[in-house]
Amino acid sequence: QSALTQPRSVSGSPGQSVTISCTGTSSDVGGYDYVSWYQQQPGKAPKLMIYDVSKRPSGVPNRFSGSKSGNTASLTISGLQAEDEADYYCCSYAGNYTLVFGGGTKVTVL
Amino acid sequence: QLQLQESGPGLVKPSETLSLTCTVSGGSITSYYWGWIRQPPGKGLEWIGSIYYTGSTYYNPSLKSRVTVSVDTSKNQFSLRLNSVTAADTAVYYCARHPSMTTVTLSYWGQGTQVTVSS
């Protein structure tokens, strides 16, 4: 069970869109529509932003969206805001009742 | 509002056993799955294991030989034991709730507790 692959960092200016990829295999991301995304501010617990690939919990701004194609899931932040600067982690069901996280991506708002 | 709170020693000696408890308040521990996740300093998240309120357990294969997760429904708590710890087990440990073992919807998290492995 290997960690899902995410870019170490992405950046964008306020108002722009950024997309974070999360690449796995057919045994995890590609095999199930069970991918979630978490935002983690420094020193804080992760916060659920997207679940079941593309669903948003209540209270999460609609500028956050999720999608999946093959073995790669993506999180897009549209209309980037300063408060979106944080670390983001993907998580996937990996079969045999196990979960696997991505390595994390740092989003910087320029 | 559901709240989770981790508790336990912040310092554990190498080769000893790390023991943490997560207390659930504002809701019942029944009908959900409860998990442990850790984050070494400056690194990413790692799922350790989860338990259903009935006691069924599920573990990360890479940690399975050293991990035990248990539940006490009378106290609305679940616990983690990790034996034979080394410096590599130094991390912030989080507890979290998810609705099933397939949907990775970790919707409630504790604030996390720092555990350092050192003599």
Side-chain angles (χ1 to χ4, degrees):
Chain A
Q1 188 185 56
S2 300
L4 306 175
T5 300
Q6 296 181 232
R8 293 288 295 269
S9 64
V10 299
S11 61
S13 299
Q16 288 187 330
S17 292
V18 296
T19 296
I20 304 167
S21 61
C22 170
T23 301
T25 69
S26 58
S27 296
D28 39 60
V29 174
Y32 311 93
D33 286 334
Y34 297 129
V35 176
S36 54
W37 289 90
Y38 302 86
Q39 177 193 69
Q40 187 179 35
Q41 303 284 1
K44 300 292 187 182
K47 174 188 175 184
L48 177 68
M49 305 301 285
I50 295 288
Y51 67 98
D52 292 354
V53 175
S54 60
K55 297 177 182 176
R56 261 182 296 107
S58 61
V60 172
N62 60 11
R63 63 178 183 275
F64 289 88
S65 62
S67 63
K68 191 186 85 167
S69 177
N71 296 338
T72 299
S74 299
L75 174 71
T76 298
I77 309 173
S78 305
L80 196 61
Q81 298 186 6
E83 67 212 52
D84 300 333
E85 186 161 294
D87 293 327
Y88 291 82
Y89 293 90
C90 61
C91 181
S92 174
Y93 178 63
N96 295 319
Y97 303 112
T98 63
L99 316 180
V100 62
F101 282 95
T105 298
K106 180 176 180 58
V107 171
T108 301
V109 181
L110 301 172
Chain B
Q1 176 74 348
L2 190 76
Q3 292 188 337
L4 287 72
Q5 178 68 57
E6 305 89 349
S7 59
L11 181 64
V12 182
K13 289 182 168 55
S15 80
E16 295 191 345
T17 297
L18 178 160
S19 296
L20 296 174
T21 295
C22 182
T23 300
V24 179
S25 59
S28 174
I29 203 167
T30 59
S31 303
Y32 285 98
Y33 290 76
W34 305 89
W36 288 98
I37 298 97
R38 70 180 181 179
Q39 185 171 34
K43 295 189 177 181
L45 301 169
E46 179 181 36
W47 173 69
I48 300 169
S50 296
I51 190 166
Y52 192 44
Y53 77 100
T54 58
S56 297
T57 53
Y58 312 86
Y59 298 130
N60 185 323
S62 67
L63 297 169
K64 186 174 184 177
S65 63
R66 297 195 293 131
V67 174
T68 302
V69 180
S70 58
V71 65
D72 186 337
T73 55
S74 67
K75 295 182 178 179
N76 239 29
Q77 294 177 334
F78 63 105
S79 299
L80 169 70
R81 287 174 58 87
L82 179 67
N83 58 34
S84 304
V85 298
T86 69
D89 295 310
T90 293
V92 175
Y93 285 75
Y94 296 99
C95 57
R97 189 188 88 171
H98 51 118
S100 80
M101 273 314 299
T102 52
T103 56
V104 292
T105 307
L106 299 154
S107 47
Y108 291 93
W109 294 67
Q111 65 184 25
T113 188
Q114 172 70 49
V115 177
T116 301
V117 178
S118 175
S119 55

